[in-house]
């Protein structure tokens, strides 16, 4: 990956790499099939909430730990016939990066110990890149002072470098405490590189900076700042580091197409792909209901009701609410069918591996096939996810990148 980043920084290749959040097994399959067909490197970026050690409860994506995750990606690549560059990465690795760690306000010693054990499993499982992100701390932030961020970054890098030689990125997209100001951004890079050199540690592959993006519901409600993005990317490039943007979900196509020209080396997109899949399932549920009304099936699956109940109970939709919606009570959401569906769309991917949801989905697929409404519902859903990913592949000039490499 470092070689690819260096070729982009040198101007030999003009493209923005796409980090794909592995929100579900379907997203993984869709990304690899599309990577095969369109000839671009596939990069998966898994958060600790998505994939983590069994010791910490695994993740919401099929309950997988790191070894299971890598194993499934390897098999999916073989099944798809994908032979291009494939990178498996940790997104937001570090202390308090699991939701329950923040809620439980773990002590700094325990949070750092867990982060190290999680990173160790990442490396042993075969991850290619780690996001070292110690920018959360329920005891002192937000924001966590950059001095503490620096100290914890070095401590974690000392640890991971002893486990194995793996690439890494630093920084965070948070608007509070993140690397948002160009002067602070450059000072942080200079100080970090000085400490890394003194410790005999290699420099990061990427540094994450804030370009104004902010995802809420199924929109990017932030204000993307092209000039700031160009400045931050230029500063990072001066030190031979790729600039990465997080939360690029839902940005307008005209802004996405600017990314390669602005020098944004890579951008992460995650919830949008899970939302695209969930919306596809809900459309299939509507299709199944029509088939039942027309008498083409006798026993509807009730999939949408099962999914809505599970998604609502998860409570994970709360983090994606817009500010003006945060005061809504559970009763107000449950009594508003349109709002409940919207809440389900933004959080359905968190519960797609729940047993009841999977069973209802299988029944819905069987009904759609037997009614003649849709012969291949699984493929139809994958195609909807591919459409969501393809927007970024085209905008980021990724089509055929493997051949150009």
């Amino acid at each position: 990956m470092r070689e690819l980043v260096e070729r982009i920084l040198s101007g030999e290749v003009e493209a923005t790499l796409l980090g794909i959040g592995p929100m579900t097994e379907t997203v993984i399959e869709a990304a690899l099939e599309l990577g095969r067909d369109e000839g671009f490197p596939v990069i998966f970026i898994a958060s600790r909430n998505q994939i983590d050690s069994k010791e910490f409860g695994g993740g919401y994506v099929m309950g997988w730990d790191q070894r299971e995750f890598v194993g499934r990606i390897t098999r999916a690549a073989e099944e798809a016939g994908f032979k291009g560059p494939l990178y498996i990465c940790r997104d937001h690795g570090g202390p308090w990066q699991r939701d329950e760690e923040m809620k439980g306000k773990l002590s700094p010693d325990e949070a750092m110990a867990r982060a190290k054990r999680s990173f160790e499993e990442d490396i042993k499982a075969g991850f290619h890149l780690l996001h070292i992100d110690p920018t959360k701390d329920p005891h002192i932030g937000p924001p966590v002072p950059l001095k503490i961020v620096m100290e914890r970054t070095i401590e974690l890098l000392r640890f991971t470098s002893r486990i194995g030689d793996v690439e890494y990125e630093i920084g965070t997209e948070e608007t509070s405490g993140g690397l948002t100001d160009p002067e602070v951004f450059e000072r942080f890079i200079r100080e970090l590189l000085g400490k890394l050199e003194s410790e005999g540690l290699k420099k990061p592959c990427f540094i994450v900076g804030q370009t104004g993006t902010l995802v809420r519901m199924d929109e990017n409600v932030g204000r993307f700042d092209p000039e700031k993005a160009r400045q931050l990317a230029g500063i990072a490039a001066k030190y031979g580091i790729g600039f990465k943007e997080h939360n690029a979900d839902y940005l307008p196509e005209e802004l996405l197409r600017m990314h390669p020209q602005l020098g944004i080396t890579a951008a992460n997109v995650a919830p949008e792909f899970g939302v695209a899949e969930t919306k596809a399932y809900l459309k299939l549920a509507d299709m199944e209901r029509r088939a039942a009304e027309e008498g083409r099936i006798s026993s509807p699956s009730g999939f949408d009701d099962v999914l809505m109940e599970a998604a609502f109970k998860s409570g994970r939709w709360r983090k994606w609410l817009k500010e003006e919606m945060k005061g809504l009570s559970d009763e107000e959401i449950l009594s508003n069918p349109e709002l409940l569906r919207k809440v389900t769309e933004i959080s359905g991917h968190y519960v797609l591996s729940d047993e009841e949801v999977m069973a209802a989905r299988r029944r819905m697929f069987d009904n759609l096939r037997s009614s003649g409404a849709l012969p291949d519902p699984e493929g139809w859903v994958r195609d909807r996810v591919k459409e969501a990913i393809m927007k970024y592949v085209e905008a980021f000039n990724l089509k055929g990148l493997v051949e150009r490499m």
Side-chain angles (χ1 to χ4, degrees):
M1 181 177 284
R2 185 176 290 270
E3 181 184 345
L4 179 53
V5 168
E6 288 173 351
R7 292 177 73 174
I8 293 174
L9 291 177
S10 71
E12 181 183 344
V13 174
E14 187 176 87
T16 296
L17 301 174
L18 174 63
I20 298 171
M23 317 304 285
T24 68
E25 192 168 18
T26 298
V27 171
I28 292 170
E29 294 166 353
L32 289 166
E33 289 179 9
L34 196 62
R36 173 200 66 201
D37 295 341
E38 302 297 340
F40 64 89
V42 174
I43 303 171
F44 291 116
I45 44 109
S47 72
R48 287 188 61 203
N49 286 322
Q50 291 167 340
I51 304 292
D52 208 354
S53 311
K54 295 294 186 188
E55 173 188 358
F56 308 129
Y60 70 75
V61 181
M62 303 299 291
W64 290 331
D65 64 12
Q66 291 94 323
R67 292 178 189 272
E68 292 167 327
F69 176 56
V70 172
R72 182 63 189 105
I73 289 175
T74 302
R75 292 194 304 277
E78 291 172 355
E79 291 161 5
F82 176 81
K83 301 184 187 304
L86 174 60
Y87 305 102
I88 302 172
C89 310
R90 166 62 70 203
D91 188 32
H92 294 293
W96 297 286
Q97 290 292 348
R98 283 183 70 96
D99 289 346
E100 60 266 30
E101 292 177 356
M102 278 293 283
K103 291 175 185 173
K105 296 187 177 181
L106 297 186
S107 70
D109 286 346
E110 177 60 18
M112 285 290 282
R114 284 179 172 228
K116 289 175 182 177
R117 294 201 296 275
S118 181
F119 279 138
E120 182 172 2
E121 290 304 310
D122 292 346
I123 296 169
K124 288 180 177 178
F127 278 45
H128 301 99
L129 180 141
L130 308 177
H131 180 189
I132 309 293
D133 184 8
T135 58
K136 286 187 174 181
D137 187 329
H139 305 287
I140 58 174
V144 177
L146 286 180
K147 182 177 183 293
I148 294 177
V149 171
M150 184 87 69
E151 290 170 354
R152 290 175 177 168
T153 296
I154 296 296
E155 181 180 344
L156 291 168
L157 285 172
R158 282 195 207 106
F159 175 81
T160 57
S161 67
R162 290 197 297 268
I163 304 299
D165 184 18
V166 64
E167 299 296 346
Y168 70 96
E169 69 182 67
I170 56 170
T172 181
E173 79 278 7
E174 299 296 332
T175 54
S176 176
L179 296 170
T180 59
D181 179 82
E183 289 185 13
V184 174
F185 185 75
E186 183 160 15
R187 186 165 65 247
F188 180 84
I189 292 176
R190 282 201 308 268
E191 290 180 14
L192 178 69
L193 291 180
K195 291 180 183 296
L196 292 174
E197 187 176 0
S198 67
E199 298 261 355
L201 299 168
K202 65 183 178 183
K203 68 183 178 184
C205 194
F206 296 107
I207 182 167
V208 182
Q210 172 56 249
T211 61
T213 58
L214 180 65
V215 175
R216 291 292 180 265
M217 298 298 283
D218 57 354
E219 302 174 39
N220 203 306
V221 300
R223 292 188 177 182
F224 178 78
D225 187 336
E227 187 49 41
K228 178 178 279 189
R230 189 190 304 275
Q231 276 186 285
L232 297 179
I235 291 168
K238 184 166 70 173
Y239 295 93
I241 302 171
F243 178 75
K244 181 183 270 195
E245 172 187 69
H246 284 197
N247 295 338
D249 310 64
Y250 309 112
L251 283 176
E253 189 173 334
E254 61 269 22
L255 294 183
L256 293 175
R257 290 188 178 278
M258 295 171 64
H259 279 49
Q261 289 77 37
L262 292 172
I264 298 173
T265 318
N268 285 358
V269 179
E272 181 175 353
F273 303 143
V275 171
E277 182 177 354
T278 302
K279 287 181 176 180
Y281 288 132
L282 290 172
K283 286 181 180 178
L284 291 186
D286 294 339
M287 194 182 300
E288 182 197 25
R289 183 174 292 104
R290 287 194 297 272
E293 290 169 354
E294 294 166 4
R296 288 183 285 135
I297 56 173
S298 57
S299 181
S301 66
F303 170 80
D304 49 355
D305 291 332
V306 173
L307 180 63
M308 286 182 184
E309 181 178 359
F312 183 81
K313 283 183 177 178
S314 77
R316 290 181 179 268
W317 44 272
R318 294 185 183 279
K319 71 178 287 187
W320 301 111
L321 293 181
K322 297 178 183 178
E323 285 301 318
E324 64 269 22
M325 300 174 69
K326 289 186 176 178
L328 290 172
S329 67
D330 288 0
E331 292 73 22
E332 287 175 302
I333 293 173
L334 288 170
S335 63
N336 185 327
E338 185 178 341
L339 186 54
L340 180 58
R341 184 175 177 117
K342 200 72 177 172
V343 161
T344 303
E345 288 175 349
I346 63 170
S347 62
H349 59 273
Y350 291 109
V351 297
L352 287 176
S353 60
D354 287 8
E355 259 184 57
E356 288 186 3
V357 175
M358 288 197 296
R361 181 173 55 191
R362 285 193 295 270
R363 291 195 299 273
M364 179 176 69
F365 284 175
D366 288 343
N367 283 337
L368 290 167
R369 280 189 287 261
S370 65
S371 69
L374 197 64
D376 181 16
E378 296 95 337
W380 189 87
V381 172
R382 277 199 308 277
D383 285 346
R384 303 293 78 74
V385 176
K386 288 180 187 178
E387 288 171 1
I389 298 173
M390 192 63 192
K391 176 179 75 172
Y392 295 91
V393 173
E394 291 180 337
F396 289 169
N397 196 26
L398 292 174
K399 290 182 68 171
L401 180 59
V402 172
E403 290 185 8
R404 304 202 305 274
M405 290 166 57

